[in-house]
């Protein structure tokens, strides 16, 4: 994809627009902080050092965001699209990947060009962003935790049906995710995610080949044609918006920093990494659309929405291709669900830790203004990518507190079911997050908060604006479809 910021690559190598060495986006730097795995020590924001060439050997955060963003629900939604419309909406899945490339690139560009975290950028837009974020992560985390654990437990129960009940499989996967993320830093987390993505890739591509897709119809599906069905426009927009994650797009910039990429010298690498992420996502989505089109659409077979639709698909695959193929699919189903679980456990906990750190600094700054005789060091310093790269957030109490929030309270929902009003709020907040992300990125990346050479270009503004409007439409539809009469 083109360089959407409108920035010529030559300025990333320490051109005239950047500040002198030893400075950051917020002023002169202090003592050098810990360097990331590959990044120079004590650099952030516009202090680029030598720009890195985009190389496959650096790829990492993109694999993580692709694995986290494609969950079982995404695969089912794509299967159902293939089941209902055949190859007709293949073009919509491709556009969905391009939209998400633009969003993730913008988030990564903010982190690298300013040296500040995304939440620090949001906080600069006003207190309302903090209120939205904290309400979102508390309610969303509570409901998502139960959904992620249940989704990860389903394929295990199908693989080992006589061992224990689904609820206990779900609890086991949540506890394993908790222990894994609690005791490992980003480097190990990335390696495990890469292995699981490999499993997902092999399984989905194998299935797509196994069902023998009609390549002529598939290529015809790249033409933007709407199905001749009721609500076809909204269904198409839903497929475009549903490809490749929600809050995980915002977490991408944090994973970029956790990798050790903290300045604009890594911009080319980040862009390659991001493209790899959504090419991978596109392969997963297109492969499952092929399966839906060939197995379900051609046979006029319907499956349930939600994770149980994949269990139904496993049964269909067993009837069509034998037990080995069905078991192989269930292994891929588990890899898909569990990568989403541990990805959220890690990425959203990083964001929550950043939120708490910013809140702590704001309170310290207010105390300093009240009592100027007792200054607090770094009270007003912006949250930086260097802090994330140091690994300090991953060992902090807010990170671990949110890990516990994602794991233990949601277990109640596994036994008691999902409270009706809470699920409505969860749906509304989830629908509101992507327009919030897209439109705040447009705001931040066109303002003086971003160095001029890294602000949005025409293409980036167009893609982010289109994404924002798309998600606003989907948000309004989601809110409209809620049973509000029963809520009150």
């Amino acid at each position: 994809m083109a360089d959407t910021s409108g920035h010529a690559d030559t300025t990333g190598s320490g051109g005239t627009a950047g500040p002198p060495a030893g400075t950051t986006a917020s002023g002169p730097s202090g003592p050098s902080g810990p360097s990331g795995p590959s990044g120079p020590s004590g650099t952030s924001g516009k202090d680029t050092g030598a720009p890195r060439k985009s190389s496959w050997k650096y790829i990492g955060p993109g694999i993580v965001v692709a694995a986290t963003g494609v969950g079982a629900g995404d695969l089912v939604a794509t299967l159902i699209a293939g089941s209902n419309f055949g190859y007709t909406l293949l073009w919509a899945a491709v556009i969905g990947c391009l939209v998400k490339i633009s969003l993730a690139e913008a988030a990564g560009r903010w982190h690298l060009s300013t040296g500040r975290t995304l939440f620090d950028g949001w906080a600069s837009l006003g207190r309302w962003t903090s209120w939205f974020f904290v309400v979102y992560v508390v309610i969303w985390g509570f409901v998502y935790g139960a959904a992620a654990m249940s989704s990860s437990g389903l394929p295990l129960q199908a693989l080992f049906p006589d061992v224990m009940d689904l609820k206990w499989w779900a609890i086991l996967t949540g506890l394993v995710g908790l222990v894994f993320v609690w005791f490992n830093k980003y480097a190990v987390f990335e390696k495990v995610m890469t292995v699981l993505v490999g499993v997902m890739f092999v399984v989905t591509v194998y299935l797509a080949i196994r069902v023998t897709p009609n390549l002529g119809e598939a290529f015809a599906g790249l033409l933007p044609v709407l199905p001749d069905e009721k609500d076809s426009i909204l269904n198409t927009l839903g497929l475009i918006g549903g490809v490749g994650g929600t809050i995980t797009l915002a977490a991408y910039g944090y994973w970029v920093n956790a990798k050790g990429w903290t300045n604009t010298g890594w911009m080319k690498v980040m862009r390659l990494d991001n493209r790899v992420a959504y090419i991978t996502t596109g392969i997963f989505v297109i492969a499952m659309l092929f399966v839906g089109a060939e197995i379900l659409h051609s046979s006029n077979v319907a499956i349930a929405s939600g994770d149980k639709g994949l269990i139904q698909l496993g049964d269909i695959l067993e009837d069509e291709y034998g037990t080995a193929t069905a078991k192989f699919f269930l292994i891929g189903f588990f890899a898909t669900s569990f990568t989403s679980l541990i990805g959220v456990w890690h990425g959203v906990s990083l964001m929550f830790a950043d939120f708490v750190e910013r809140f702590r600094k704001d309170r310290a700054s207010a105390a300093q203004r009240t009592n100027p005789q007792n200054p607090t060091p770094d009270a007003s310093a912006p949250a930086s990518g260097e802090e994330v790269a140091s690994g300090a957030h991953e060992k902090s109490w807010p990170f671990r507190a949110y890990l516990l929030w994602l794991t233990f309270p949601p277990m109640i929902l596994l036994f008691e079911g999902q409270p009706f009003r809470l699920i409505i709020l969860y749906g509304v907040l989830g629908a509101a997050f992507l327009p919030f992300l897209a439109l705040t990125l447009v705001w931040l990346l066109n303002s003086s908060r971003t160095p001029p050479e890294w602000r949005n270009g025409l293409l980036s503004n167009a893609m982010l604006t289109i994404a924002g409007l798309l998600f606003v439409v989907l948000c309004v539809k989601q809110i409209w479809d809620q049973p509000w009469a029963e809520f009150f």
Side-chain angles (χ1 to χ4, degrees), residues 19-51:
T23 65
T24 67
S26 56
S29 66
S32 295
S35 63
S38 318
S41 178
T43 61
S44 65
K46 293 182 283 183
D47 180 11
T48 66

mmCIF file of all heavy atoms in Angstrom, residues 19-51:
data_model
loop_
_atom_site.group_PDB
_atom_site.id
_atom_site.type_symbol
_atom_site.label_atom_id
_atom_site.label_comp_id
_atom_site.label_asym_id
_atom_site.label_seq_id
_atom_site.Cartn_x
_atom_site.Cartn_y
_atom_site.Cartn_z
ATOM 1 N N PRO A 19 14.170 17.250 14.992
ATOM 2 C CA PRO A 19 14.951 18.004 15.952
ATOM 3 C C PRO A 19 16.337 17.438 16.085
ATOM 4 O O PRO A 19 16.626 16.354 15.609
ATOM 5 C CB PRO A 19 14.162 17.810 17.256
ATOM 6 C CG PRO A 19 13.558 16.465 17.082
ATOM 7 C CD PRO A 19 13.281 16.318 15.635
ATOM 8 N N PRO A 20 17.214 18.134 16.771
ATOM 9 C CA PRO A 20 18.559 17.621 16.959
ATOM 10 C C PRO A 20 18.536 16.337 17.753
ATOM 11 O O PRO A 20 17.618 16.060 18.501
ATOM 12 C CB PRO A 20 19.262 18.738 17.751
ATOM 13 C CG PRO A 20 18.408 19.938 17.581
ATOM 14 C CD PRO A 20 17.041 19.467 17.343
ATOM 15 N N ALA A 21 19.609 15.554 17.605
ATOM 16 C CA ALA A 21 19.719 14.319 18.377
ATOM 17 C C ALA A 21 19.639 14.641 19.855
ATOM 18 O O ALA A 21 20.161 15.634 20.334
ATOM 19 C CB ALA A 21 21.037 13.610 18.065
ATOM 20 N N GLY A 22 18.985 13.713 20.607
ATOM 21 C CA GLY A 22 18.846 13.922 22.044
ATOM 22 C C GLY A 22 17.579 14.625 22.423
ATOM 23 O O GLY A 22 17.366 14.945 23.568
ATOM 24 N N THR A 23 16.725 14.945 21.434
ATOM 25 C CA THR A 23 15.439 15.549 21.758
ATOM 26 C C THR A 23 14.334 14.614 21.342
ATOM 27 O O THR A 23 14.507 13.747 20.516
ATOM 28 C CB THR A 23 15.260 16.897 21.039
ATOM 29 O OG1 THR A 23 15.208 16.661 19.648
ATOM 30 C CG2 THR A 23 16.347 17.864 21.371
ATOM 31 N N THR A 24 13.167 14.827 21.906
ATOM 32 C CA THR A 24 11.994 14.052 21.555
ATOM 33 C C THR A 24 10.906 15.002 21.131
ATOM 34 O O THR A 24 11.091 16.212 21.093
ATOM 35 C CB THR A 24 11.506 13.228 22.769
ATOM 36 O OG1 THR A 24 11.044 14.154 23.750
ATOM 37 C CG2 THR A 24 12.592 12.352 23.325
ATOM 38 N N ALA A 25 9.737 14.442 20.873
ATOM 39 C CA ALA A 25 8.618 15.277 20.436
ATOM 40 C C ALA A 25 8.211 16.261 21.507
ATOM 41 O O ALA A 25 7.561 17.243 21.238
ATOM 42 C CB ALA A 25 7.428 14.387 20.052
ATOM 43 N N SER A 26 8.561 15.981 22.760
ATOM 44 C CA SER A 26 8.111 16.859 23.829
ATOM 45 C C SER A 26 9.236 17.669 24.446
ATOM 46 O O SER A 26 9.090 18.262 25.481
ATOM 47 C CB SER A 26 7.432 16.021 24.918
ATOM 48 O OG SER A 26 8.319 15.031 25.367
ATOM 49 N N GLY A 27 10.404 17.679 23.827
ATOM 50 C CA GLY A 27 11.478 18.488 24.350
ATOM 51 C C GLY A 27 12.733 17.689 24.558
ATOM 52 O O GLY A 27 12.840 16.546 24.188
ATOM 53 N N PRO A 28 13.752 18.275 25.184
ATOM 54 C CA PRO A 28 15.000 17.588 25.381
ATOM 55 C C PRO A 28 14.798 16.339 26.200
ATOM 56 O O PRO A 28 14.055 16.300 27.138
ATOM 57 C CB PRO A 28 15.855 18.618 26.150
ATOM 58 C CG PRO A 28 15.205 19.924 25.879
ATOM 59 C CD PRO A 28 13.777 19.660 25.679
ATOM 60 N N SER A 29 15.501 15.302 25.818
ATOM 61 C CA SER A 29 15.353 14.048 26.524
ATOM 62 C C SER A 29 16.222 14.016 27.761
ATOM 63 O O SER A 29 17.245 14.656 27.854
ATOM 64 C CB SER A 29 15.730 12.872 25.614
ATOM 65 O OG SER A 29 17.088 12.925 25.309
ATOM 66 N N GLY A 30 15.801 13.198 28.708
ATOM 67 C CA GLY A 30 16.584 12.963 29.898
ATOM 68 C C GLY A 30 17.573 11.865 29.633
ATOM 69 O O GLY A 30 17.929 11.567 28.517
ATOM 70 N N PRO A 31 18.003 11.182 30.676
ATOM 71 C CA PRO A 31 18.930 10.080 30.504
ATOM 72 C C PRO A 31 18.326 9.006 29.624
ATOM 73 O O PRO A 31 17.142 8.774 29.635
ATOM 74 C CB PRO A 31 19.129 9.575 31.954
ATOM 75 C CG PRO A 31 18.743 10.716 32.821
ATOM 76 C CD PRO A 31 17.714 11.469 32.094
ATOM 77 N N SER A 32 19.168 8.335 28.925
ATOM 78 C CA SER A 32 18.687 7.333 27.991
ATOM 79 C C SER A 32 17.933 6.253 28.730
ATOM 80 O O SER A 32 18.418 5.699 29.697
ATOM 81 C CB SER A 32 19.867 6.692 27.243
ATOM 82 O OG SER A 32 20.503 7.654 26.453
ATOM 83 N N GLY A 33 16.744 5.949 28.211
ATOM 84 C CA GLY A 33 15.960 4.865 28.785
ATOM 85 C C GLY A 33 16.414 3.560 28.186
ATOM 86 O O GLY A 33 17.277 3.484 27.348
ATOM 87 N N PRO A 34 15.815 2.481 28.643
ATOM 88 C CA PRO A 34 16.191 1.189 28.117
ATOM 89 C C PRO A 34 15.819 1.059 26.661
ATOM 90 O O PRO A 34 14.784 1.511 26.240
ATOM 91 C CB PRO A 34 15.388 0.204 28.984
ATOM 92 C CG PRO A 34 14.326 1.005 29.625
ATOM 93 C CD PRO A 34 14.736 2.412 29.619
ATOM 94 N N SER A 35 16.663 0.466 25.927
ATOM 95 C CA SER A 35 16.364 0.290 24.514
ATOM 96 C C SER A 35 15.568 -0.965 24.327
ATOM 97 O O SER A 35 15.608 -1.876 25.107
ATOM 98 C CB SER A 35 17.657 0.196 23.700
ATOM 99 O OG SER A 35 18.385 -0.918 24.082
ATOM 100 N N GLY A 36 14.807 -0.985 23.228
ATOM 101 C CA GLY A 36 14.044 -2.167 22.899
ATOM 102 C C GLY A 36 14.943 -3.215 22.312
ATOM 103 O O GLY A 36 16.155 -3.068 22.223
ATOM 104 N N PRO A 37 14.380 -4.318 21.852
ATOM 105 C CA PRO A 37 15.152 -5.393 21.321
ATOM 106 C C PRO A 37 16.045 -5.007 20.169
ATOM 107 O O PRO A 37 17.097 -5.563 19.978
ATOM 108 C CB PRO A 37 14.078 -6.399 20.859
ATOM 109 C CG PRO A 37 12.859 -6.042 21.611
ATOM 110 C CD PRO A 37 12.954 -4.606 21.897
ATOM 111 N N SER A 38 15.580 -4.029 19.389
ATOM 112 C CA SER A 38 16.377 -3.644 18.239
ATOM 113 C C SER A 38 16.566 -2.151 18.121
ATOM 114 O O SER A 38 17.246 -1.687 17.239
ATOM 115 C CB SER A 38 15.698 -4.158 16.958
ATOM 116 O OG SER A 38 15.209 -5.442 17.092
ATOM 117 N N GLY A 39 15.914 -1.386 18.977
ATOM 118 C CA GLY A 39 15.919 0.055 18.807
ATOM 119 C C GLY A 39 17.047 0.714 19.532
ATOM 120 O O GLY A 39 17.580 0.227 20.510
ATOM 121 N N PRO A 40 17.484 1.896 19.096
ATOM 122 C CA PRO A 40 18.525 2.616 19.756
ATOM 123 C C PRO A 40 18.060 3.130 21.090
ATOM 124 O O PRO A 40 16.942 3.490 21.284
ATOM 125 C CB PRO A 40 18.827 3.765 18.789
ATOM 126 C CG PRO A 40 17.597 3.914 17.997
ATOM 127 C CD PRO A 40 16.938 2.628 17.933
ATOM 128 N N SER A 41 18.951 3.182 22.038
ATOM 129 C CA SER A 41 18.579 3.618 23.377
ATOM 130 C C SER A 41 18.336 5.106 23.418
ATOM 131 O O SER A 41 19.049 5.904 22.849
ATOM 132 C CB SER A 41 19.699 3.235 24.353
ATOM 133 O OG SER A 41 19.418 3.673 25.641
ATOM 134 N N GLY A 42 17.264 5.454 24.174
ATOM 135 C CA GLY A 42 17.023 6.860 24.443
ATOM 136 C C GLY A 42 16.514 7.662 23.288
ATOM 137 O O GLY A 42 16.651 8.866 23.266
ATOM 138 N N THR A 43 15.905 7.040 22.282
ATOM 139 C CA THR A 43 15.360 7.791 21.163
ATOM 140 C C THR A 43 13.872 7.569 21.096
ATOM 141 O O THR A 43 13.371 6.521 21.400
ATOM 142 C CB THR A 43 15.992 7.352 19.834
ATOM 143 O OG1 THR A 43 15.704 5.984 19.638
ATOM 144 C CG2 THR A 43 17.457 7.611 19.804
ATOM 145 N N SER A 44 13.170 8.579 20.678
ATOM 146 C CA SER A 44 11.730 8.440 20.479
ATOM 147 C C SER A 44 11.251 9.553 19.593
ATOM 148 O O SER A 44 11.926 10.540 19.352
ATOM 149 C CB SER A 44 10.987 8.472 21.818
ATOM 150 O OG SER A 44 11.123 9.726 22.425
ATOM 151 N N GLY A 45 10.026 9.382 19.094
ATOM 152 C CA GLY A 45 9.417 10.429 18.297
ATOM 153 C C GLY A 45 10.240 10.779 17.095
ATOM 154 O O GLY A 45 10.596 9.954 16.294
ATOM 155 N N LYS A 46 10.619 12.043 16.966
ATOM 156 C CA LYS A 46 11.266 12.523 15.745
ATOM 157 C C LYS A 46 12.763 12.237 15.718
ATOM 158 O O LYS A 46 13.406 12.449 14.720
ATOM 159 C CB LYS A 46 11.010 14.027 15.610
ATOM 160 C CG LYS A 46 9.560 14.369 15.360
ATOM 161 C CD LYS A 46 9.347 15.853 15.173
ATOM 162 C CE LYS A 46 9.363 16.603 16.462
ATOM 163 N NZ LYS A 46 9.083 18.030 16.320
ATOM 164 N N ASP A 47 13.353 11.792 16.832
ATOM 165 C CA ASP A 47 14.765 11.452 16.839
ATOM 166 C C ASP A 47 14.918 10.081 16.193
ATOM 167 O O ASP A 47 14.648 9.061 16.793
ATOM 168 C CB ASP A 47 15.266 11.431 18.289
ATOM 169 C CG ASP A 47 16.737 11.075 18.390
ATOM 170 O OD1 ASP A 47 17.405 11.053 17.350
ATOM 171 O OD2 ASP A 47 17.197 10.821 19.511
ATOM 172 N N THR A 48 15.327 10.052 14.946
ATOM 173 C CA THR A 48 15.214 8.826 14.172
ATOM 174 C C THR A 48 16.431 7.932 14.238
ATOM 175 O O THR A 48 16.314 6.746 14.025
ATOM 176 C CB THR A 48 14.976 9.171 12.696
ATOM 177 O OG1 THR A 48 16.137 9.820 12.185
ATOM 178 C CG2 THR A 48 13.779 10.071 12.544
ATOM 179 N N GLY A 49 17.630 8.442 14.480
ATOM 180 C CA GLY A 49 18.806 7.621 14.261
ATOM 181 C C GLY A 49 18.855 7.247 12.791
ATOM 182 O O GLY A 49 18.412 7.970 11.925
ATOM 183 N N ALA A 50 19.402 6.081 12.490
ATOM 184 C CA ALA A 50 19.454 5.619 11.106
ATOM 185 C C ALA A 50 18.167 4.881 10.772
ATOM 186 O O ALA A 50 17.754 4.009 11.520
ATOM 187 C CB ALA A 50 20.648 4.698 10.918
ATOM 188 N N PRO A 51 17.519 5.241 9.661
ATOM 189 C CA PRO A 51 16.282 4.529 9.303
ATOM 190 C C PRO A 51 16.568 3.085 8.928
ATOM 191 O O PRO A 51 17.549 2.783 8.261
ATOM 192 C CB PRO A 51 15.768 5.315 8.096
ATOM 193 C CG PRO A 51 16.962 5.997 7.538
ATOM 194 C CD PRO A 51 17.877 6.266 8.697
#
